[in-house]
Amino acid sequence: MYSISIKRIALLCSLIFIFSSTIQAQVRVKTSINSLWKFNKQEESPSKTNINTNNWEIVNLPHTWNNEDVLDDGNRGYYRGKGWYYKKLEVEFKTSTKNYFLHFEGANQHTKIFVNGSQAGEHKGGYSAFTIDITPYLLKDQSNELLIMVDNAHDKNIPPLSADFTFFGGIYRDVFLIETSKTHFNLLDYGSKGIFVSTPKVSSDKANIQIKGSIRSASKNLKTHSVHYTIYDSKGTTVAQGNTQITSGKKDELSIFLIDKIEIKNPALWSPDTPDLYTLDISIHKKEEVLDREYINFGIRTFSFDANTGFYLNEKPLKLIGANRHQDFPGKGNALSDDTHRSDLRLIKEMGGNFIRLAHYPQDPAILEEADRIGLMVWEETPLVNEVTLSKEHDQTSEIMLKEMIRQHYNHPSVIMWGYMNEIYWAHRFIDKDIVDQHTKATVNLAKKLEAIARKEDPTRYTAMALHKYPLYEGSKIDEIPQIVGWNLYHGWYYDTFDDFGKFLDEQHKKHPNRIHFVSEFGAGSDPRFHSLHPERFDFTIEGHKRMMESYYQQIMERPYISGATVWNLIDFSSERRIDPNPHVNNKGLVSANRKPKDVYFFFKAALSKKPYLKIAETNWTDRSDLQTKKLPVQVYSNLEKIELFQNGKSLGLQKVINHSATWEVMFQEGKNVFEAINPLEKYPKDILTINYKGIPEKISNKDNVDISINSGSNHSFYDPIGKNTWLVDKKYESGSWGYLDGEPLYVAKKIGTKEDILTLKEDIGLYQTMRRNTAGYQFDLKDGWYEVELLFVEHYPKSRRFVDGVESPKHKGGTSVFDVIVNNSTVLKNLDMLKTYGYNYPIRKKVIIRSTKNKGIRVHLKSKQGSTFISAIRIRSL
């Protein structure tokens, strides 16, 4: 009985403690108000009172109005203007004893908040949080109306002015209603919590903790008030506690507090392998009464950069490797759930990465919280991209953005770098030459201001700037301002070769031996439908993407002075005006926009994983067609020394793994080919992948059933996942076979064509972005019989001839290329003038049924009447 009584007493005490803690926690009430908003997209302002929302759409937050129009097929541009949000707050407001705030985690990009018809506040900038005190505008014991205006129209004074990503509009992050007492931690401190934790001195034996912040109060005297704190480790054990009196403070003014004599013995140091977090429980007391309370997670660690030997975490060397990340998802725009944000970071962690660059703007709080929890270090930056505006207002907005970012995310141990400009001279090529110098000078002056602000706001972290390959950065000496120079480099994609990447950085290191170098971007576009045995620059093949990543990673790891590198990009992301094979999307992701890994993702997992790993890296090429006589590669990524590969149960031999890769040249069997890669020394790990293969005969003169599709003028095949058909790499005609007769390819990699949008298309745009030009046509040596011939064309009228004085001609007269299309002896298209008849970039497909007789096969003849002939693709199919 005695023991039972003790247990009951202990349980009762526990319940009393929990109940007491709950009551104390409720001195501040923070509630999301994401549900049941009314929304309307319109430029004109609705009435601020007696608002008629009968025809408005009901939406939940997060929300964007651009989740669909940025994906419009064949249409360029998307709505950039005003959107209006309306909501009634059916809450009992006690404004005599409480204060009320609206906290927006993000709205893009100019926001005005109206409460009961009066403007309570506004915010400029689309990527930082902000908090508005709505207390003075609330009506007691009545419904209160919120009207929010959000405008994502271009504003010369709000960065970013231009960028290679979509500027989605809307309240695209969470919104909270916060209730506090009249005396509370300062919520109006640039959208932060008003509390900042730092660790000025850290060793393995002890760590000094400093807490500073500010308090807002309606009281004239805070002498009876104090700030109490308790610090818990990750197991919930109290490791420090205390309090300090507040002696300053006047009505409507801030009281500043500083607690700097806290010591934690034998601290658990935060790192990617051990992301241990501490929790600060901090509260404002008036004698025994708790007026406000907040909880802050923080970490204890040291870090430093060395210009010659790279990065150090907790005094141990560590190469920083990871990826950049944008915040969008197909069909959702940038209005993502916290779970989606968190899962994106786990993609990097599961890959073995330890770093993320948040490009090119501060991102959702869930991102920073997850980085803290799973152990990813962070470069965060403000959205100053491409260019600046020569105005005082632009500079002031830029300065506010920097302060918002630093103060809002100051307490996150994952953040080690603050960035404030990305490729800021990129738009110089579009600026009038007479004012380039003026822009350059203004940009340098702004960079100096931002650098000074960042150093003052947070001297514990490094500052960074991302530069592209452009000599003016050095010429203007803007590269000397930040502590870390990040390089956005694309050797072998936009220019030069892969090997030039390392040479460029070696030259920079030699020229600036005391500079910290970081590779802030490197990458290539890739489309899982594109494959080539001989990839070329800018061809968007999966194989080209793999070769680039393999080369760059090796060069980065060979150079200890490169402190870290982040791939561009983690995901294929929305860039509405891009004209890549997948329209409206930047295709440089390690994973697709739907988060399906590309094969390069597995390369990094093999390179970075600490556990034994192998993966058959052909997941993007599991449906293949090619010449029956040709061997095709099967590549395996691994961190093991040797790998054995089996095809349909038969060993293809053992190979040594070099740079985390081994490749077998395989003669495929018709139909299913089951490959199994194993570790010969252990039963695990292993991987199995099935590849379906359809062999195309090279000699076709005696074949009964023929189906040949050719991606004309291209170095890569194109797989149509809907029709499940492969359009083969172009080849020259040989007797008894098939192919083109003459001419030359036109596509971007050869620098004789331009990557262009193809109107009305989305799925097979890649078939039209390459073509064979100045050709007499194609010959197919086929048996006599009936065949379907399908021909694909699109006008490739050069951009230089479409524009006059920089203005695009609204209508083209045509006549630059006129030709007949003759199949055997039948003219199927006479005087074809694509530009005149269909216009620029409008595709056509022509199908004809032709009979082959007298063993002549099928000849597709393009007969020029004027200018060049051209064809994008051709298919011959037996009937």
Side-chain angles (χ1 to χ4, degrees):
M1 293 293 294
Y2 180 78
S3 62
I4 293 175
S5 299
I6 293 294
K7 288 181 179 178
R8 285 179 175 175
I9 292 170
L11 178 60
L12 180 62
C13 290
S14 297
L15 290 173
I16 292 172
F17 174 77
I18 292 170
F19 181 74
S20 174
S21 299
T22 303
I23 293 296
Q24 289 184 355
Q26 291 302 306
V27 296
R28 175 186 291 195
V29 181
K30 182 179 180 180
T31 308
S32 65
I33 54 171
N34 290 337
S35 301
L36 293 176
W37 288 77
K38 293 288 193 73
F39 169 75
N40 201 37
K41 186 172 64 177
Q42 61 184 53
E43 286 295 331
E44 62 275 12
S45 300
S47 170
K48 303 301 186 299
T49 58
N50 300 318
I51 304 172
N52 182 0
T53 61
N54 291 336
N55 296 322
W56 290 27
E57 178 185 1
I58 296 176
V59 300
N60 292 332
L61 308 181
H63 172 263
T64 177
W65 57 73
N66 296 123
N67 57 313
E68 293 182 359
D69 63 353
V70 298
L71 299 173
D72 288 350
D73 187 14
N75 294 320
R76 289 294 153 192
Y78 55 101
Y79 180 75
R80 295 193 65 182
K82 293 182 176 68
W84 298 84
Y85 296 84
Y86 172 84
K87 184 179 181 66
K88 279 190 177 182
L89 292 178
E90 304 288 355
V91 178
E92 182 184 357
F93 291 105
K94 304 172 184 178
T95 54
S96 60
T97 58
K98 300 289 185 179
N99 272 38
Y100 297 90
F101 302 86
L102 290 179
H103 179 73
F104 294 77
E105 289 185 342
N108 199 23
Q109 64 179 344
H110 183 194
T111 308
K112 292 184 179 180
I113 298 91
F114 300 91
V115 181
N116 297 320
S118 298
Q119 183 171 325
E122 70 176 315
H123 181 261
K124 294 181 179 181
Y127 304 98
S128 296
F130 56 96
T131 305
I132 305 295
D133 187 350
I134 62 172
T135 312
Y137 307 95
L138 293 171
L139 301 175
K140 187 177 180 181
D141 300 328
Q142 296 182 40
S143 293
N144 285 267
E145 294 185 323
L146 293 182
L147 180 65
I148 315 295
M149 184 280 292
V150 184
D151 189 351
N152 71 330
H154 175 78
D155 187 321
K156 66 178 183 179
N157 293 314
I158 303 178
L161 305 178
S162 62
D164 184 19
F165 56 89
T166 302
F167 301 161
F168 296 96
I171 306 177
Y172 69 97
R173 293 180 188 163
D174 297 326
V175 178
F176 294 90
L177 176 65
I178 303 174
E179 176 189 277
T180 71
S181 66
K182 290 295 182 182
T183 300
H184 51 268
F185 293 112
N186 182 19
L187 289 173
L188 301 182
D189 189 357
Y190 290 92
S192 73
K193 294 181 177 181
I195 304 163
F196 308 96
V197 183
S198 60
T199 55
K201 293 182 180 180
V202 175
S203 69
S204 58
D205 298 327
K206 63 180 179 180
N208 294 108
I209 311 299
Q210 182 184 87
I211 306 170
K212 60 182 179 179
S214 55
I215 296 170
R216 295 175 76 235
S217 177
S219 174
K220 294 181 180 180
N221 193 338
L222 297 183
K223 290 183 178 181
T224 59
H225 295 61
S226 58
V227 174
H228 291 235
Y229 69 88
T230 302
I231 297 177
Y232 304 95
D233 64 14
S234 60
K235 297 178 181 179
T237 304
T238 299
V239 295
Q241 59 183 2
N243 62 78
T244 184
Q245 293 298 121
I246 304 173
T247 56
S248 62
K250 296 181 181 179
K251 186 175 181 179
D252 298 328
E253 292 186 9
L254 296 178
S255 298
I256 310 299
F257 65 88
L258 174 65
I259 308 170
D260 60 356
K261 294 183 179 180
I262 306 171
E263 183 176 288
I264 296 178
K265 295 182 178 180
N266 302 315
L269 299 182
W270 185 94
S271 74
D273 292 333
T274 57
D276 291 305
L277 295 174
Y278 290 83
T279 300
L280 169 66
D281 175 354
I282 188 167
S283 53
I284 304 171
H285 290 238
K286 181 180 181 182
K287 296 182 179 179
E288 300 301 320
E289 182 185 6
V290 179
L291 301 180
D292 195 18
R293 191 174 207 145
E294 186 58 278
Y295 298 89
I296 306 289
N297 288 330
F298 68 96
I300 300 173
R301 79 281 186 266
T302 64
F303 61 90
S304 62
F305 288 86
D306 184 274
N308 295 302
T309 56
F311 177 73
Y312 293 81
L313 180 67
N314 301 323
E315 300 182 350
K316 297 178 181 178
L318 180 66
K319 184 80 82 171
L320 299 173
I321 300 291
N324 291 263
R325 188 257 184 182
H326 270 298
Q327 58 174 22
D328 61 76
F329 197 97
K332 296 182 179 180
N334 61 350
L336 305 187
S337 68
D338 287 348
D339 283 341
T340 302
H341 290 301
R342 288 188 283 260
S343 65
D344 277 357
L345 262 66
R346 289 195 291 271
L347 281 171
I348 299 178
K349 188 69 176 180
E350 290 164 4
M351 186 183 75
N354 55 27
F355 192 82
I356 184 172
R357 178 178 176 226
L358 301 181
H360 294 295
Y361 39 76
Q363 297 189 15
D364 195 283
I367 287 285
L368 280 302
E369 293 164 5
E370 187 70 3
D372 291 344
R373 279 194 294 265
I374 66 177
L376 283 180
M377 285 167 282
V378 174
W379 165 336
E380 189 171 30
E381 62 192 23
T382 59
L384 268 75
V385 184
N386 290 2
E387 56 184 314
V388 302
T389 296
L390 306 182
S391 75
K392 183 178 180 180
E393 185 178 349
H394 171 274
D395 289 2
Q396 289 175 340
T397 303
S398 301
E399 292 170 18
I400 291 171
M401 286 178 170
L402 182 59
K403 290 180 180 178
E404 287 176 333
M405 177 180 71
I406 293 175
R407 296 196 188 188
Q408 288 171 25
H409 299 151
Y410 185 94
N411 297 320
H412 291 283
S414 54
V415 179
I416 61 173
M417 297 153 69
W418 301 121
Y420 52 77
M421 284 182 178
N422 177 77
E423 299 186 7
I424 204 64
Y425 290 151
W426 186 88
H428 267 206
R429 52 185 169 166
F430 305 117
I431 297 175
D432 192 315
K433 293 181 180 179
D434 296 334
I435 59 172
V436 165
D437 291 343
Q438 189 179 356
H439 268 262
T440 303
K441 182 178 179 180
T443 305
V444 171
N445 289 337
L446 177 57
K448 290 178 179 178
K449 291 179 186 177
L450 297 176
E451 179 73 14
I453 289 171
R455 299 280 190 101
K456 182 179 179 181
E457 287 284 322
D458 184 7
T460 69
R461 292 180 172 95
Y462 287 75
T463 58
M465 182 186 297
L467 318 180
H468 69 295
K469 191 170 174 283
Y470 184 56
L472 188 59
Y473 292 108
E474 188 170 15
S476 66
K477 296 186 177 181
I478 197 172
D479 60 342
E480 298 178 4
I481 297 173
Q483 293 170 288
I484 297 174
V485 168
W487 287 107
N488 298 350
L489 300 177
Y490 294 90
H491 297 86
W493 179 249
Y494 291 123
Y495 43 78
D496 299 334
T497 66
F498 297 158
D499 290 342
D500 291 319
F501 166 77
K503 294 175 184 177
F504 174 84
L505 286 169
D506 288 343
E507 292 172 0
Q508 287 295 319
H509 181 54
K510 183 178 180 180
K511 190 180 295 186
H512 306 284
N514 297 318
R515 174 176 292 172
I516 300 167
H517 290 281
F518 195 101
V519 181
S520 40
E521 293 181 23
F522 66 102
S526 64
D527 187 318
R529 300 169 299 177
F530 288 14
H531 297 279
S532 177
L533 301 181
H534 306 287
E536 298 177 292
R537 181 162 64 84
F538 216 75
D539 64 6
F540 288 91
T541 62
I542 288 293
E543 291 67 38
H545 199 183
K546 291 199 285 188
R547 299 298 88 81
M548 183 180 194
M549 296 297 99
E550 293 160 7
S551 175
Y552 270 53
Y553 178 80
Q554 188 171 31
Q555 293 181 72
I556 289 164
M557 299 306 290
E558 289 171 348
R559 292 165 169 80
Y561 68 84
I562 300 178
S563 54
T566 46
V567 178
W568 188 264
N569 196 280
L570 174 63
I571 61 173
D572 289 349
F573 60 91
S574 178
S575 182
E576 196 275 343
R577 298 203 67 82
R578 264 201 173 252
I579 311 170
D580 287 350
N582 187 8
H584 313 290
V585 174
N586 185 312
N587 295 109
K588 294 189 180 71
L590 295 174
V591 303
S592 71
N594 288 313
R595 278 49 174 183
K596 181 180 179 181
K598 301 179 186 178
D599 286 330
V600 287
Y601 178 88
F602 302 120
F603 168 75
F604 283 99
K605 191 166 184 177
L608 301 174
S609 294
K610 296 179 180 179
K611 295 180 180 179
Y613 178 80
L614 62 80
K615 182 70 176 179
I616 300 174
E618 304 292 352
T619 65
N620 303 134
W621 201 10
T622 56
D623 289 279
R624 302 190 183 189
S625 291
D626 216 313
L627 301 181
Q628 291 173 341
T629 58
K630 188 184 294 183
K631 289 185 176 182
L632 298 176
V634 175
Q635 186 174 17
V636 177
Y637 286 138
S638 180
N639 54 9
L640 302 170
E641 289 186 9
K642 293 182 179 181
I643 298 294
E644 187 172 9
L645 184 68
F646 293 80
Q647 179 189 19
N648 294 332
K650 181 181 178 181
S651 176
L652 299 178
L654 196 66
Q655 283 210 27
K656 185 177 181 180
V657 177
I658 300 174
N659 190 26
H660 308 287
S661 173
T663 301
W664 288 257
E665 294 297 325
V666 178
M667 186 65 72
F668 276 72
Q669 299 176 16
E670 193 74 20
K672 287 187 177 182
N673 292 257
V674 179
F675 292 93
E676 182 178 13
I678 68 168
N679 174 6
L681 301 179
E682 302 282 347
K683 186 176 181 181
Y684 298 101
K686 68 178 182 179
D687 189 36
I688 298 175
L689 182 70
T690 298
I691 298 177
N692 299 307
Y693 175 74
K694 177 185 176 183
I696 304 297
E698 192 165 10
K699 298 294 183 178
I700 56 176
S701 57
N702 62 348
K703 298 295 180 181
D704 291 322
N705 294 303
V706 172
D707 190 351
I708 301 172
S709 305
I710 305 171
N711 191 11
S712 298
S714 176
N715 76 316
H716 60 261
S717 64
F718 174 85
Y719 178 68
D720 173 10
I722 298 175
K724 298 191 180 302
N725 179 50
T726 296
W727 297 75
L728 302 176
V729 176
D730 210 356
K731 86 174 192 69
K732 188 174 179 61
Y733 167 73
E734 296 177 13
S735 179
S737 183
W738 51 271
Y740 63 82
L741 299 172
D742 55 8
E744 70 271 353
L746 185 145
Y747 59 98
V748 176
K750 292 293 187 182
K751 283 295 178 184
I752 57 175
T754 54
K755 176 165 57 75
E756 294 293 347
D757 197 3
I758 306 299
L759 304 178
T760 77
L761 291 180
K762 188 172 183 180
E763 297 300 334
D764 54 359
I765 182 176
L767 275 179
Y768 292 90
Q769 289 181 323
T770 62
M771 62 191 68
R772 180 155 292 280
R773 183 173 64 171
N774 291 322
T775 179
Y778 284 76
Q779 176 68 38
F780 298 84
D781 290 347
L782 297 162
K783 286 182 65 175
D784 290 350
W786 289 95
Y787 296 89
E788 179 185 75
V789 180
E790 186 175 11
L791 308 168
L792 282 66
F793 301 94
V794 70
E795 171 62 54
H796 63 283
Y797 194 57
K799 278 186 177 180
S800 60
R801 299 169 69 177
R802 289 163 46 209
F803 290 84
V804 178
D805 296 330
V807 178
E808 186 172 9
S809 173
K811 185 176 181 180
H812 305 299
K813 295 180 179 179
T816 58
S817 291
V818 181
F819 55 91
D820 292 341
V821 179
I822 305 166
V823 181
N824 287 358
N825 295 320
S826 300
T827 301
V828 298
L829 290 168
K830 187 173 181 61
N831 293 326
L832 178 61
D833 187 336
M834 288 289 297
L835 188 63
K836 181 178 181 180
T837 307
Y838 300 99
Y840 178 71
N841 272 356
Y842 191 92
I844 68 164
R845 296 175 87 127
K846 177 73 173 178
K847 290 183 181 180
V848 295
I849 306 299
I850 293 291
R851 185 180 180 186
S852 171
T853 60
K854 300 180 182 180
N855 295 318
K856 291 184 178 180
I858 299 292
R859 181 179 182 181
V860 177
H861 178 46
L862 307 182
K863 184 179 179 181
S864 175
K865 298 291 188 66
Q866 180 177 328
S868 64
T869 61
F870 52 84
I871 186 169
S872 291
I874 183 170
R875 182 177 185 179
I876 303 290
R877 189 170 66 88
S878 299
L879 294 180

